Amino acid sequence: MKATAAKTRLTSLTEDISIIPEDAPFRARLHFLFAQIEKEFEQLYLENLNLQDKLENATANTKDSLTPYDQRSAAGGVTTGSLVATGSGGASLAATPATPSAPLSDEIGASLLAAASSTHKSLKAKLSSATGGSKVKASNKIKAQTSRIVSSFKAQTVVSSVVREFGGHKDGIWQVAAKVGQPIIGTASADHTACIWGIESARCLLQYQGHAGSVNSIKFHQHRDLVLTGSGDGTAHIWQAAVNWEVPKKGHSSEEELDDSDGQLEDRDRVDTLRTPLCEFSGPGGHLSVVVAADWLSSMDQIITGSWDRTAILWDVETAQPLQPLTGHDHELTHVSAHPTQRLVVTASRDTTFRLWDFRDPIPAVSVFQGHTESVTSSVFARDDKVVSGSDDRTIKVWELRNMRSALATIRTDSSVNRLAVSSGGIIAIPHDNRQIRLFDLNGQRVARLPRTSRQGHRRMVSSVAWAEEPLLNCDLFSCGFDRRVFGWSIVLPKDN
């Protein structure tokens, strides 16, 4: 794990230079911009009303200018007359009739007045409908659209916050896991230990010290109090996770409490330790290098391990003997994961691929998934026969087991992806090198980005996340990183709101 640790340190140093702003200022800015747009449309509407009033005054003056002509035509004293009317296209109409007698001039004057009146009415109707009506409709339409956009920003807010914090490891934490049915979590650390934590008390209830190297992975047994860990010492261990739930409490008098205060603090800070595993997976046929990950198969009587020696191994739990080596990757393995209900396993590697191993038949079948351009850091099963993979190429891809040629969805981000997790509801939690945690659905649509400020969130790379199958004391998601911290997050999605 030295190369990975060096990469982590370099990444964290470069990331400390800049801090990505939060979503809140952007939302406030959007609300302000939409309010400005509405004001602009209000101003345009008022200006249009003023222009319409000026147009009415101009047409009224034109009508008044025709009255002397009408009077002179009726008296028979004018031999020529003219009328100029401007249409919507800007053209002018001219009439210069000759009036040899009074009756003829009367008829011509009356006809011109009727034509002028009808032209004025039609032009006024056209102009009012073409300017005022359309502007009002457009203004109302855009107002409605902006209102819907603003309301959509308000409705789609995801409520998330840190509700628990766990600290005590002396080095970075590689992985976090949640126990189904119990309010405990487990962590695997580069300080050569694995810890079991009580969620309610945020205390370390048990520390496992049986490995001689960095503990790189941790997984709980589904039904028993057993834990599986993989280590940089080239072995995998199964050990008993029997924890003491009782927090030391003493009911003495005030004087006795003062006398025993130091003793109580020591009891509270004391952590139960375990050094001997129930089963160790090593020896002939075992791995020749670092074990980066290990997981239980659905039957719980076998485990799968992945190593830097470019192989994965299927082991029998009862005998601790290797059953079958899985070869084919061209570079070191980075992750292994087993299907929760079927005898399927996926292995990820630095060779930019991950492989699906099917143990349901006597002769295992293997499928190779290609699509990433850099190291595949994790691959996990999701609902509806899907697999989700994350990579150092800053992408996450959603695949269907029956179609390995092309991904169903591709999520592009701005940082390398570490050990991701998918909830039972199909929400992908993505931990990044740049200290961010993002949530997406299986269709590739962004759901949220968890808040990260100077007061909450990770200060160095986030190495792993784990969903709680059921909310554990308001904790829906757990994350760990190389700031030696573990956070429990409360996440309320829009549909839950």
Side-chain angles (χ1 to χ4, degrees), residues 248-285:
K249 294 181 180 179
K250 297 182 180 180
H252 298 300
S253 63
S254 59
E255 293 181 359
E256 290 175 338
E257 288 178 356
L258 290 175
D259 294 337
D260 296 342
S261 59
D262 294 338
Q264 290 182 18
L265 289 175
E266 291 178 0
D267 290 340
R268 188 175 294 109
D269 295 335
R270 186 175 65 246
V271 177
D272 293 336
T273 59
L274 178 67
R275 293 181 175 86
T276 305
L278 295 177
C279 188
E280 179 176 324
F281 301 88
S282 62

Side-chain angles (χ1 to χ4, degrees), residues 163-419:
V163 294
R164 289 287 190 282
E165 183 175 349
F166 309 83
H169 279 293
K170 298 179 181 179
D171 206 338
I173 304 172
W174 287 115
Q175 190 169 20
V176 61
K179 172 69 172 175
V180 178
Q182 292 188 29
I184 59 175
I185 61 172
T187 53
S189 173
D191 64 6
H192 297 194
T193 68
C195 290
I196 305 298
W197 306 81
I199 296 178
E200 183 175 7
S201 62
R203 292 177 61 249
C204 179
L205 305 177
L206 177 65
Q207 186 181 68
Y208 181 68
Q209 302 176 354
H211 283 292
S214 170
V215 184
N216 303 322
S217 70
I218 184 168
K219 286 288 185 177
F220 284 101
H221 193 284
Q222 285 188 0
H223 313 296
R224 300 172 60 187
D225 293 332
L226 299 177
V227 176
L228 170 64
T229 51
S231 172
D233 59 14
T235 68
H237 290 181
I238 292 178
W239 42 278
Q240 186 76 38
V243 297
N244 180 17
W245 292 98
E246 296 182 0
V247 178
K249 294 181 180 179
K250 297 182 180 180
H252 298 300
S253 63
S254 59
E255 293 181 359
E256 290 175 338
E257 288 178 356
L258 290 175
D259 294 337
D260 296 342
S261 59
D262 294 338
Q264 290 182 18
L265 289 175
E266 291 178 0
D267 290 340
R268 188 175 294 109
D269 295 335
R270 186 175 65 246
V271 177
D272 293 336
T273 59
L274 178 67
R275 293 181 175 86
T276 305
L278 295 177
C279 188
E280 179 176 324
F281 301 88
S282 62
H287 288 295
L288 303 176
S289 185
V290 171
V291 176
V292 292
D295 199 3
W296 303 87
L297 266 68
S298 58
S299 59
M300 296 293 152
D301 59 354
Q302 295 175 350
I303 65 167
I304 186 76
T305 57
S307 170
W308 281 3
D309 63 9
R310 305 183 183 184
T311 68
I313 298 179
L314 185 68
W315 302 80
D316 181 77
V317 171
E318 185 177 356
T319 62
Q321 294 299 313
L323 297 177
Q324 183 175 359
L326 309 179
T327 60
H329 282 292
D330 295 330
H331 293 285
E332 297 91 336
L333 269 66
T334 57
H335 192 246
V336 297
S337 180
H339 195 282
T341 59
Q342 303 183 52
R343 292 179 58 80
L344 299 173
V345 169
V346 284
T347 57
S349 171
R350 291 182 58 191
D351 62 8
T352 72
T353 71
F354 71 93
R355 298 184 175 224
L356 171 67
W357 307 84
D358 189 347
F359 297 103
R360 292 175 294 186
D361 296 329
I363 300 177
V366 58
S367 301
V368 181
F369 289 75
Q370 298 176 330
H372 291 287
T373 59
E374 293 187 30
S375 173
V376 181
T377 54
S378 63
S379 54
V380 298
F381 290 97
R383 66 179 188 180
D384 301 330
D385 292 332
K386 292 182 176 64
V387 176
V388 181
S389 61
S391 171
D392 279 340
D393 64 8
R394 303 181 180 184
T395 66
I396 302 92
K397 293 181 180 288
V398 181
W399 310 78
E400 191 175 21
L401 292 180
R402 294 182 294 271
N403 180 17
M404 62 181 181
R405 294 184 179 179
S406 60
L408 297 176
T410 298
I411 302 168
R412 304 186 185 279
T413 63
D414 58 354
S415 180
S416 296
V417 179
N418 296 312
R419 293 182 176 178

Side-chain angles (χ1 to χ4, degrees), residues 21-98:
E22 297 301 317
D23 286 343
F26 291 104
R27 292 198 185 97
R29 179 65 177 169
L30 284 174
H31 288 299
F32 174 76
L33 292 175
F34 283 128
Q36 292 295 106
I37 291 172
E38 291 183 3
K39 289 181 181 179
E40 289 292 334
F41 278 110
E42 288 288 347
Q43 186 176 358
L44 288 173
Y45 174 65
L46 294 176
E47 291 178 358
N48 178 66
L49 291 179
N50 292 331
L51 290 174
Q52 193 171 352
D53 292 339
K54 291 180 181 180
L55 178 63
E56 291 177 354
N57 294 333
T59 53
N61 292 334
T62 302
K63 183 177 180 180
D64 293 339
S65 65
L66 294 175
T67 304
Y69 171 81
D70 180 38
Q71 293 174 350
R72 289 191 297 271
S73 298
V78 179
T79 60
T80 61
S82 65
L83 170 66
V84 178
T86 304
S88 59
S92 61
L93 301 176
T96 55

Side-chain angles (χ1 to χ4, degrees), residues 382-383 422-427 442 467-470:
R383 66 179 188 180
V422 184
S423 71
S424 58
I427 302 298
L442 291 174
W467 289 98
E469 292 296 329
E470 296 179 356

